[in-house]
């Protein structure tokens, strides 16, 4: 068994193709904007679809599916504005990004952590004790 794994690691091409290691997808939120970075380290062009999935409490103005073509050895950074509704406040909202090409797919997850919609200092709405 060990010899087979050694051969597989020596080959390196098969695992890279199988797991799509030559494509990197990173997602992060900055304020109310989703920043997606897709990197192609193949020696050939890769074309596919980039899908952004948000919870129903967050609206994504524009297209959530984008056709993307990456030349060999290139990196593209895309920005998507996020419009959170009142139901998205006071919670951590997941934002998923999927890039699929051919038979492979890479995914990334970002979090949009939002504060309460209205924050008032607790003394202003607290109950007064009986003295």
């Amino acid at each position: 068994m060990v010899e087979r794994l050694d051969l597989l690691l020596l080959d390196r091409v098969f695992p890279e193709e199988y797991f799509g290691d030559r494509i990197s997808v990173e997602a992060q939120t900055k304020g109310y904007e989703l920043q997606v970075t897709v990197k192609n380290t193949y020696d050939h062009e890769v074309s596919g679809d980039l899908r952004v999935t948000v919870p129903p409490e967050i609206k994504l103005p524009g297209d959530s599916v984008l056709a993307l073509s990456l030349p060999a050895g290139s990196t593209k950074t895309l920005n998507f504005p996020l419009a959170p509704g009142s139901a998205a406040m006071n919670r951590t909202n997941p934002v998923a990004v999927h890039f699929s090409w051919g038979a492979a797919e890479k995914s990334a997850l970002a979090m949009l952590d939002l504060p309460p919609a209205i924050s008032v200092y607790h003394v202003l709405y607290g109950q007064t004790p009986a003295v």
Side-chain angles (χ1 to χ4, degrees):
M1 178 69 177
V2 174
E3 295 85 15
R4 287 184 220 137
L5 287 176
D6 288 342
L7 287 174
L8 194 58
L9 288 175
L10 285 175
D11 181 27
R12 196 189 92 213
V13 174
F14 177 76
E16 284 179 352
E17 289 294 325
Y18 186 78
F19 293 109
D21 285 344
R22 305 293 300 264
I23 297 289
S24 170
V25 178
E26 296 176 11
Q28 63 180 355
T29 55
K30 291 187 176 183
Y32 292 132
E33 190 170 74
L34 174 67
Q35 186 177 43
V36 179
T37 304
V38 184
K39 184 177 184 179
N40 175 15
T41 57
Y42 282 113
D43 56 355
H44 57 82
E45 181 179 13
V46 173
S47 296
D49 291 328
L50 184 77
R51 272 183 297 117
V52 178
T53 307
V54 294
E57 298 86 15
I58 297 176
K59 301 296 180 216
L60 186 66
D63 292 332
S64 63
V65 178
L66 179 70
L68 188 61
S69 179
L70 294 166
S74 68
T75 302
K76 282 193 181 179
T77 301
L78 306 163
N79 295 316
F80 298 92
L82 300 173
S86 60
M89 303 308 280
N90 198 24
R91 62 187 339 183
T92 302
N93 300 285
V95 179
V97 179
H98 309 281
F99 180 63
S100 57
W101 73 101
E105 182 176 37
K106 277 291 204 173
S107 300
L109 183 66
M111 296 295 191
L112 182 62
D113 195 14
L114 297 173
I118 300 172
S119 62
V120 179
Y121 191 64
H122 66 88
V123 171
L124 295 177
Y125 63 87
Q127 301 293 326
T128 57
V131 179

